[in-house]
């Protein structure tokens, strides 16, 4: 049983979560997240803790940002897009139980106001910004680190708020480079 309440987008996501682990969920009802749902999430965060596990798409990122801004201290889990896609449909409901368990095993806690351990120049030097393959490299790096795909600015912020160390960054970078990216 997972202690924290897992926030997902819909009923099919809850079904997928329950196939993978024993956990309680709160469904946002899609991207139109309302004040009542945010109150439920805040109460769950206060009492048990919350893990945000939304779809690895634009709408999922929007929901994740809304929740994180309104309910501080939530943990976050990410399923790589490739592991959450079936027949062109992207969503937690398409992820295998193993992919869900793997994402939940690599939960990140947001540390707001943390000093960045990885500098903007490090991202440029690593070919994660202003590089012909920057988007593909960021996607691969996000998958290895378990922080999801994001643009360069978001990557810099996530590395900071999740306090990814220089060693973790270097190891993940070495791994994607060994895979030819």
């Amino acid at each position: 049983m997972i202690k924290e309440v897992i926030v997902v987008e819909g009923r099919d996501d809850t079904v997928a979560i329950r196939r993978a682990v024993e956990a309680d969920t709160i469904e946002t009802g899609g991207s139109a997240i309302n004040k009542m749902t945010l109150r439920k999430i805040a109460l769950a965060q206060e009492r048990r803790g919350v893990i945000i596990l939304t779809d690895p798409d634009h709408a999922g990122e929007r929901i994740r940002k809304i929740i994180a801004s309104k309910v501080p201290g939530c943990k976050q889990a990410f399923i790589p897009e490739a592991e959450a896609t079936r027949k062109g449909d992207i969503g937690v409901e398409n992820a295998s139980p193993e992919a869900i368990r793997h994402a939940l095993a690599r939960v990140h806690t947001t540390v707001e106001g943390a000093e960045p351990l990885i500098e903007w120049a490090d991202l440029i030097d690593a070919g994660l910004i202003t590089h012909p393959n920057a988007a593909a490299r960021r996607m691969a790096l996000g998958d290895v680190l378990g922080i999801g795909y994001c643009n360069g600015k978001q990557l810099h912020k996530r590395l900071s708020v999740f306090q990814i160390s220089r060693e973790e960054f270097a190891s993940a970078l070495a791994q994607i480079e060994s895979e030819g990216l």
Side-chain angles (χ1 to χ4, degrees), residues 104-169:
L104 292 172
R106 297 171 6 142
V107 166
H108 295 278
T109 302
T110 303
V111 180
E112 291 299 334
E115 288 295 316
L117 303 174
I118 312 298
E119 300 297 329
W120 189 256
D122 296 322
L123 301 181
I124 294 170
D125 292 344
L128 297 164
I129 301 170
T130 68
H131 183 278
N133 255 357
R137 289 174 63 82
R138 284 193 307 272
M139 180 174 279
L141 186 82
D143 289 349
V144 171
L145 291 172
I147 62 171
Y149 172 74
C150 41
N151 66 30
K153 188 175 178 182
Q154 290 171 323
L155 174 62
H156 188 248
K157 180 175 179 167
R158 282 189 188 169
L159 292 170
S160 177
V161 299
F162 295 145
Q163 288 292 276
I164 302 296
S165 71
R166 291 187 84 59
E167 294 77 19
E168 289 172 291
F169 179 75

Side-chain angles (χ1 to χ4, degrees), residues 38-110:
L38 285 169
R39 279 196 293 260
K40 279 196 260 182
I41 294 168
L43 182 60
Q45 171 63 7
E46 182 183 310
R47 303 238 170 122
R48 293 178 49 189
V50 164
I51 299 172
I52 303 169
L53 182 60
T54 56
D55 297 348
D57 61 9
H58 179 72
E61 282 302 312
R62 183 178 166 281
I63 293 166
R64 186 181 294 276
K65 286 178 187 176
I66 290 168
I67 295 168
S69 71
K70 303 286 186 190
V71 185
C74 292
K75 296 177 182 178
Q76 299 195 41
F78 298 86
I79 298 174
E81 184 179 320
E83 293 179 23
T85 303
R86 187 179 342 136
K87 296 179 183 174
D89 179 42
I90 300 171
V92 170
E93 73 273 12
N94 298 318
S96 69
E98 295 77 27
I100 292 169
R101 285 191 291 270
H102 188 249
L104 292 172
R106 297 171 6 142
V107 166
H108 295 278
T109 302
T110 303

